Amino acid sequence: MPVEEFVAGWISGALGLVLGHPFDTVKVRLQTQTTYQGITDCMVKIYRHESILGFFKGMSFPIASIAVVNSVLFGVYSNSLLALTATSHRERRAQPPSYTHVFIAGCAGGFMQAYCLAPFDLIKVRLQNQTEPRAKPGSPPPRYRGPVHCATSIFQKEGPRGLFRGAWALTLRDTPTLGIYFVTYEALCRQGTPEGQNPSSSTVLVAGGFAGITSWITATPLDVIKSRMQMDGLTRKAYQGLLDCVVSSMRQEGPGVFFRGLTINSARAFPVNAVTFLSYEYLLRWWG
Ligand SMILES: C[N+](C)(C)CCCC[C@H](N)C(=O)O
C-alpha cells in the first residue's frame, strides 16, 4: 500500500488547519451559542474578552489529530482509487479515473476519516465553546483545562461512548460530502489543464478552494446538527437523538438554522483547501 499519500495528506492538512482555525472558532460559536449577532459581532467579542488567543482555542489537539485524520482521508482515497482503477497517483494524469470512481473513493475516505475524527472533533467543539477568558485571576476556572483534561472528564462523566457523541451525524456529514469534494477538485483541475499534463499551481489553488466550498455548502446542515449533538448532555440533555435534534432545531429556530455558519464555513474553506491541495500535489510530485 503506497504510504506517500498518507504523509502528504497529513502535512498538507496541518498547513490548511492553522490558516483556518480562527474562522472555525467563530463558526462553532455561531452555531451553538445565541449571544452573538453575526460574524463581526462574534469576532469583536472574542477579541475583546479573550484576546487574539480566543480564536486559537482548541487548536493544539486538531493539529495533532490532523496527522491521523487527513492522512486517513487522502490515503484511503488514493488507495481506493488504486483498487478501483488499478492506477497509482503517478499514472492518473495520463489515465484519469471516471467521476464515479472518484466519488466512491472520496466517500470511502470520508467514511473512514469520520470515525477517526469523531473524538477529536468533539473535544475541539467543547473547548471552542468555553467563553471564559484565559487565566484571569479571581474568575471561575473553565470546565475543561485543556484537551487531555477534556477527554478524561468526558470519559469519566459520559463513559467511553461519550467520546463518540455526534459521531453518527459526523459520518453522515462527511461520507457524501467528501465524495463531492474530490469530484469538484478533479473536475476543475481537468477543465483548467491540457490533457495528460499536471495542473498548474493556480489551477490547483482554485480547484482546491472551490472543492472546499462546495463540500462545505453541502455539509453545513449536518454540521449544525453535529455540533449541537456534541454539546448536548453537557448540562442537561436536550435531544433524544439525531432526528429529534433536526426536528426541534427546525421548530424552534426555523429552516434558516441549517445554514448557520455557512458564510464563515465557505470563507474558511477556500484558503484552507487551496493550501491543502497545493501542498498535497507538490509533496507527491516532489517524492516522484
Ligand atoms: C466534508 N467536510 C466539508 C465536512 C469537510 C471537508 C474537509 C476538508 C478540510 N479538511 C477542511 O477542514 O475544510
Side-chain angles (χ1 to χ4, degrees):
M1 181 161 67
V3 291
E4 302 104 302
E5 287 94 333
F6 286 94
V7 181
W10 162 36
I11 300 177
S12 57
L15 289 173
L17 186 119
V18 177
L19 202 66
H21 197 77
F23 294 97
D24 195 67
T25 301
V26 174
K27 177 203 83 174
V28 167
R29 297 268 179 106
L30 287 175
Q31 287 178 336
T32 54
Q33 301 188 20
T34 43
T35 42
Y36 305 113
Q37 247 108 60
I39 296 174
T40 327
D41 181 51
C42 182
M43 287 169 87
V44 170
K45 282 188 178 144
I46 293 183
Y47 185 72
R48 280 220 190 110
H49 300 307
E50 302 160 60
S51 86
I52 193 89
L53 291 177
F55 292 98
F56 291 95
K57 276 191 184 157
M59 191 180 75
S60 54
F61 212 45
I63 282 282
S65 63
I66 199 88
V68 185
V69 174
N70 235 50
S71 67
V72 167
L73 172 62
F74 281 86
V76 171
Y77 167 72
S78 193
N79 283 288
S80 304
L81 269 185
L82 178 66
L84 288 166
T85 63
T87 52
S88 71
H89 75 87
R90 278 177 217 98
E91 296 153 352
R92 273 178 221 138
R93 287 292 159 222
Q95 292 162 264
S98 74
Y99 289 122
T100 315
H101 283 152
V102 171
F103 183 74
I104 297 172
C107 291
F111 182 83
M112 297 297 287
Q113 66 102 51
Y115 265 85
C116 307
L117 176 63
F120 295 116
D121 193 62
L122 173 73
I123 289 161
K124 177 194 73 110
V125 167
R126 294 265 173 110
L127 292 176
Q128 282 175 319
N129 264 322
Q130 302 203 118
T131 48
E132 295 86 352
R134 246 169 219 229
K136 214 177 174 196
S139 59
R143 178 189 296 263
Y144 303 123
R145 289 193 295 273
V148 179
H149 180 237
C150 181
T152 44
S153 348
I154 297 177
F155 190 84
Q156 277 161 5
K157 293 210 184 75
E158 302 168 49
R161 287 191 58 194
L163 285 170
F164 283 86
R165 199 177 281 283
W168 252 112
L170 187 69
T171 311
L172 287 177
R173 183 196 78 172
D174 281 6
T175 306
T177 54
L178 281 162
I180 295 174
Y181 180 67
F182 286 105
V183 167
T184 314
Y185 175 72
E186 270 302 312
L188 291 176
C189 267
R190 285 181 205 179
Q191 211 155 49
T193 314
E195 244 182 65
Q197 282 183 25
N198 277 327
S200 68
S201 309
S202 50
T203 307
V204 170
L205 283 172
V206 172
F210 279 107
I213 290 185
T214 42
S215 164
W216 271 110
I217 288 178
T218 45
T220 298
L222 272 165
D223 188 48
V224 174
I225 300 303
K226 184 251 356 155
S227 300
R228 290 181 171 208
M229 300 288 294
Q230 288 172 322
M231 291 307 288
D232 199 29
L234 199 56
T235 42
R236 60 185 180 88
K237 213 158 159 27
Y239 310 117
Q240 240 105 64
L242 197 146
L243 212 61
D244 184 45
C245 180
V246 175
V247 174
S248 34
S249 300
M250 163 99 172
R251 269 212 201 115
Q252 282 159 20
E253 294 156 79
V257 70
F258 298 117
F259 298 97
R260 272 230 206 132
L262 182 69
T263 319
I264 190 97
N265 256 345
S266 310
R268 171 191 168 278
F270 195 94
V272 169
N273 293 288
V275 165
T276 300
F277 272 105
L278 187 72
S279 37
Y280 177 73
E281 289 278 352
Y282 273 85
L283 285 168
L284 285 183
R285 269 183 228 175
W286 191 40
W287 290 328

